[in-house]
Amino acid sequence: MKNLIAKIRLHLRALRPILLSHHPLCETFSNDMHTFKIGHRKLCIGCFITYPTALVFYLIGSLSGLFNIFTTPQLWYFGFGLCGIYLFSILGLTKTKKIKMITKFLIGCGIAFCVAAIWSLSHPIRLRLIVIGIYFLIGHAFINTMRLLDIYRTCHKCEYDCDWQRCPGMSSILSPDTIPKIESDTP
């Protein structure tokens, strides 16, 4: 088990350059349409706008009583309506960084409405927490699949055509020098 944890830590260390930005470090992705910088770190616009917005908006909506003025179906309508703005990204309508950031903010608000809708149900707390967990797993899987397809399409058009060993944005991460070796448990 100790060896497994060590391996995971080493792989995360090797992925550190793209761990928070989720995009290759090459010229194609250097236009900062997908990331913003805080200090020397590049952060994914989607993750670092959507999830904090969802948390803050949910807390504000819950503590202020905003969500109480809506019925559960209305919470769902607002939630799915705002989350549906993700279609703008799928359809390529988020061509500027400003529009991309606004859509991520609105999606975060939509997530908060959906969580409020789930929480407004009269089922036991444990069941509501499970449903919220499932909601996040499904949503996260969908968004990550879409991100993967977008990166794949972009990388497929590149001269390196997803050859990660030669790609300047990924080769330094995948280099044997970057991924430290650990000794095996077997003699």
Side-chain angles (χ1 to χ4, degrees):
M1 183 65 167
K2 188 176 180 182
N3 197 19
L4 176 64
I5 292 170
K7 282 182 182 180
I8 291 170
R9 287 179 65 196
L10 291 174
H11 285 288
L12 288 176
R13 189 172 352 143
L15 290 172
R16 182 180 289 158
I18 63 167
L19 198 58
L20 298 177
S21 67
H22 313 311
H23 294 83
L25 305 171
C26 63
E27 283 296 315
T28 306
F29 288 98
S30 67
N31 64 5
D32 285 328
M33 264 301 290
H34 304 283
T35 61
F36 60 90
K37 274 187 162 183
I38 294 182
H40 295 294
R41 297 208 186 269
K42 282 189 169 188
L43 305 173
C44 172
I45 286 176
C47 292
F48 288 93
I49 291 179
T50 303
Y51 295 121
T53 299
L55 178 65
V56 169
F57 190 73
Y58 180 78
L59 290 173
I60 290 171
S62 294
L63 296 173
S64 69
L66 171 69
F67 295 137
N68 295 335
I69 65 173
F70 298 105
T71 64
T72 301
Q74 290 171 331
L75 290 169
W76 283 117
Y77 295 143
F78 280 110
F80 283 125
L82 289 168
C83 286
I85 289 175
Y86 189 73
L87 284 172
F88 285 24
S89 293
I90 294 172
L91 297 173
L93 301 174
T94 56
K95 296 288 187 199
T96 68
K97 192 170 188 174
K98 190 179 213 176
I99 292 173
K100 186 177 282 272
M101 292 172 80
I102 291 169
T103 61
K104 301 307 179 191
F105 173 81
L106 293 172
I107 292 167
C109 294
I111 290 170
F113 270 107
C114 287
V115 171
I118 295 168
W119 201 251
S120 73
L121 299 172
S122 60
H123 299 294
I125 290 174
R126 201 189 223 146
L127 181 59
R128 288 183 277 172
L129 289 173
I130 290 170
V131 172
I132 288 170
I134 292 169
Y135 168 77
F136 275 102
L137 286 173
I138 291 171
H140 203 64
F142 174 76
I143 287 172
N144 282 327
T145 300
M146 296 309 295
R147 179 185 297 133
L148 177 69
L149 290 172
D150 183 48
I151 289 173
Y152 176 76
R153 278 191 293 265
T154 302
C155 292
H156 189 61
K157 293 176 190 172
C158 173
E159 67 181 283
Y160 299 104
D161 194 14
C162 299
D163 183 352
W164 308 123
Q165 298 299 326
R166 290 181 345 146
C167 169
M170 294 297 285
S171 62
S172 63
I173 295 166
L174 298 174
S175 165
D177 301 331
T178 309
I179 303 174
K181 302 283 186 249
I182 62 172
E183 294 182 23
S184 175
D185 287 338
T186 57

